[in-house]
Amino acid sequence: MKLYIISDKAFQTPLYKAIERAIRTYFSQKRFEITFEEIDQGDLDFCMGCFGCWTKKPGECVIPDKMGQINQTFMNSDGVIYLSPVVFGQFSANIKNAIDRWIPNALPFFETRTDGSTMHPPRYASYPKQLIIGYQMGMSEEDAQLFKDITEKHRTNVAVITVDDLDFDLSRLFDSIQFERIGGPL
Amino acid sequence: MIRAHKNVILINGSPKRTNVSMSGWLAAFAEQRLKGELLEVKLIRAQKSLLNDNMAHDFETLRDADALVFIFPLYVFCLPGLLMRYLEDFYDFLKTQYSDDESIDQRGIKIYAVVNAGFVEPEVNLEAVRVIRSFSEKIQANFRFGVLIGGGPMIPNTQNALFMKPTIRALDAAFLKIGEDIAGEGQSLPADLQISVNFPKKLYHFMGDHRWISSVKKNGLKKKDLYRRPYQTLR
Ligand SMILES: Cc1cc2nc3c(=O)[nH]c(=O)nc-3n(C[C@H](O)[C@H](O)[C@H](O)COP(=O)(O)O)c2cc1C
């Protein structure tokens, strides 16, 4: 089983290091093959909203940098964990840019979901199971809730958790998630 | 002398590398409605400042303003990475402006969020407005309210069509309200405004889907190329 971990190199706080250690320990015991991606400022150009990934080179970002390889590794993993700092209740700039530049993996069309909201259909038959871990020491309850809402209110099949101090235990959460590929809506 | 006017900065947060964007259109629209005797309005494009390394100059302008209006597109249900970079850097800049034992204090500044999305439901922008509110709290600024716009990409091209009249009127009213709120001493906090296109959702989706198909064809590809799975074979 392949696990891909995407993290922000610019926010490697003691809390980050503790979470990273917990992930490495847990998943290497479970014999996952782990690939770590640390994204630093300047590693990736910003998404420029050109939609070339839908109409020029369908399925691939047109910017020739490391993002192509990140999307390829993403699509070929069984599980993906985003390890994101919580900044103003959202993903940090580095992580958010990698998420913006993930959209080549969806199709451009509009779909109305059963609750009346809109979403794009999947491009692939299956995707890795995703978990988003938002970390920041002493974050406010509002920021933690906002961080969860951004994903939970709008996405299917993506789990989110926030960690706000060093006294955490993620193993029960990891036990409860099947890091294997899943189909269905994004 | 009584300081009669207020300085308003409109920050266009679209990551597009051109002036032609919905946020650019909204910023121009806002400028027209806001500028007048009481308000002096200045436009800043975050993407351009980042590219030209002009941030320090921008941030001084932002720091000294009376009101900031962040105008930007929704990207994957929150702020684009590029705008996050801009806000993170502005926050770091403000920290350098105060000594260690002082917290950042931009109490005088009023902040507004104008968010537009490709989906027609304006409420999809709610979390993005909350992010701007959270940012405002971190710099101890005075977040006022948000304008949530659905169906954004459709508006500039059809602004003169009859069916778009109610939307344009609602946008007019929204910026008028922002202007009044900036100029006023109002204690009460206005509610967020939600604006969408007056257009059937099914037809909006149909036209949108059609637009993707015609643009791949314009790029010399076939309709079926839209469905390519470049990362599929490896598995
Ligand atoms: C990377 C990316 C992600 C987007 N995510 C969303 C989204 O989650 N919901 C939505 O309604 N529109 C989304 N959009 C569409 C934009 O919000 C819409 O096209 C907007 O009008 C662009 O504004 P601009 O021209 O000012 O950049 C996304 C666009 C891009 C490029």
Side-chain angles (χ1 to χ4, degrees):
Chain A
M1 300 290 267
K2 290 183 179 164
L3 182 69
Y4 192 34
I5 296 159
I6 300 172
S7 75
D8 190 334
K9 199 167 186 175
F11 284 82
Q12 299 201 340
T13 59
L15 181 58
Y16 166 85
K17 293 211 170 93
I19 299 169
E20 187 204 313
R21 218 176 306 121
I23 293 174
R24 279 193 196 277
T25 310
Y26 181 94
F27 289 97
S28 48
Q29 266 169 12
K30 302 266 175 197
R31 307 234 167 273
F32 272 83
E33 185 188 311
I34 303 175
T35 307
F36 239 94
E37 195 71 62
E38 299 175 317
I39 300 172
D40 208 349
Q41 186 165 345
D43 283 355
L44 299 173
D45 270 355
F46 286 106
C47 172
M48 51 184 178
C50 70
F51 292 119
C53 59
W54 285 346
T55 65
K56 281 203 178 103
K57 253 178 120 179
E60 292 171 82
C61 180
V62 299
I63 303 171
D65 63 10
K66 203 176 165 192
M67 196 62 216
Q69 186 215 313
I70 294 174
N71 276 331
Q72 177 166 339
T73 311
F74 181 104
M75 283 313 307
N76 286 279
S77 299
D78 299 288
V80 172
I81 299 180
Y82 287 99
L83 200 41
S84 177
V86 178
V87 183
F88 315 135
Q90 187 189 297
F91 305 99
S92 64
N94 289 339
I95 297 293
K96 186 59 205 331
N97 187 39
I99 291 175
D100 295 345
R101 293 188 57 196
W102 178 92
I103 70 156
N105 298 317
L107 286 176
F109 307 114
F110 292 123
E111 258 181 9
T112 303
R113 294 190 274 210
T114 47
D115 67 352
S117 65
T118 307
M119 191 50 185
H120 300 293
R123 179 179 294 276
Y124 295 90
S126 71
Y127 290 80
K129 174 69 193 175
Q130 294 176 62
L131 166 66
I132 295 170
I133 302 177
Y135 64 91
Q136 189 206 82
M137 284 300 268
M139 87 182 92
S140 69
E141 245 167 69
E142 288 81 24
D143 277 0
Q145 190 59 49
L146 174 53
F147 189 82
K148 286 185 206 139
D149 284 348
I150 286 169
T151 299
E152 286 176 348
K153 278 180 67 180
H154 304 284
R155 300 290 310 275
T156 328
N157 289 329
V158 184
V160 193
I161 190 170
T162 55
V163 179
D164 62 5
D165 76 69
L166 284 162
D167 183 26
F168 63 84
D169 180 9
L170 292 171
S171 52
R172 213 160 345 129
L173 173 79
F174 294 153
D175 283 342
S176 72
I177 298 177
Q178 298 283 327
F179 283 97
E180 54 191 42
R181 296 181 63 89
I182 35 167
L186 300 176
Chain B
M1 199 182 98
I2 304 164
R3 189 161 173 248
H5 75 273
K6 300 223 156 121
N7 283 315
V8 185
I9 315 294
L10 309 176
I11 301 106
N12 171 354
S14 172
K16 285 186 180 150
R17 295 181 186 177
T18 149
N19 257 325
V20 186
S21 65
M22 177 54 185
S23 302
W25 184 87
L26 280 167
F29 187 96
E31 186 186 20
Q32 272 193 7
R33 268 65 181 178
L34 291 176
K35 75 174 177 214
E37 256 172 62
L38 289 177
L39 305 182
E40 201 166 297
V41 182
K42 199 172 168 222
L43 258 95
I44 283 180
R45 186 145 69 85
Q47 189 276 333
K48 212 170 155 200
S49 302
L50 270 165
L51 193 75
N52 299 339
D53 222 357
N54 206 17
M55 311 271 278
H57 178 260
D58 270 21
F59 293 160
E60 282 169 16
T61 311
L62 299 191
R63 179 198 59 200
D64 299 334
D66 296 300
L68 307 178
V69 185
F70 288 96
I71 305 177
F72 59 95
L74 188 71
Y75 269 26
V76 198
F77 307 109
C78 50
L79 271 58
L82 182 139
L83 183 56
M84 274 309 282
R85 161 71 60 243
Y86 198 79
L87 295 186
E88 282 179 19
D89 287 359
F90 182 42
Y91 179 85
D92 288 343
F93 165 85
L94 287 175
K95 270 201 303 200
T96 68
Q97 304 292 297
Y98 296 86
S99 62
D100 278 351
D101 51 347
E102 251 178 319
S103 61
I104 296 172
D105 187 351
Q106 295 295 117
R107 203 164 312 191
I109 299 193
K110 289 177 177 171
I111 296 189
Y112 305 81
V114 178
V115 196
N116 97 87
F119 299 165
V120 290
E121 309 85 54
E123 65 273 17
V124 74
N125 296 305
L126 204 59
E127 284 69 38
V129 172
R130 287 165 66 192
V131 173
I132 298 293
R133 184 195 307 274
S134 171
F135 162 75
S136 307
E137 280 162 10
K138 304 292 179 293
I139 63 166
Q140 295 193 42
N142 183 3
F143 182 80
R144 301 296 294 168
F145 62 95
V147 180
L148 296 71
I149 304 167
M154 185 179 214
I155 298 173
N157 290 329
T158 53
Q159 55 182 301
N160 297 316
L162 203 60
F163 74 87
M164 201 48 88
K165 278 230 161 92
T167 306
I168 301 294
R169 263 202 303 272
L171 288 171
D172 255 326
F175 288 112
L176 194 70
K177 194 166 164 187
I178 290 180
E180 283 169 0
D181 194 72
I182 293 172
E185 303 295 326
Q187 298 298 311
S188 69
L189 198 59
D192 290 342
L193 298 172
Q194 301 202 358
I195 299 173
S196 190
V197 289
N198 181 28
F199 200 76
K201 183 157 149 178
K202 271 205 175 128
L203 195 54
Y204 182 90
H205 286 184
F206 176 80
M207 286 170 54
D209 290 356
H210 215 76
R211 198 165 43 95
W212 298 120
I213 295 167
S214 65
S215 32
V216 278
K217 287 185 178 161
K218 244 183 257 159
N219 290 328
L221 302 172
K222 297 204 168 70
K223 182 186 167 186
K224 71 170 196 317
D225 291 321
L226 262 176
Y227 298 88
R228 276 183 195 165
R229 294 175 166 179
Y231 305 131
Q232 167 99 354
T233 48
L234 297 156
R235 231 190 125 71

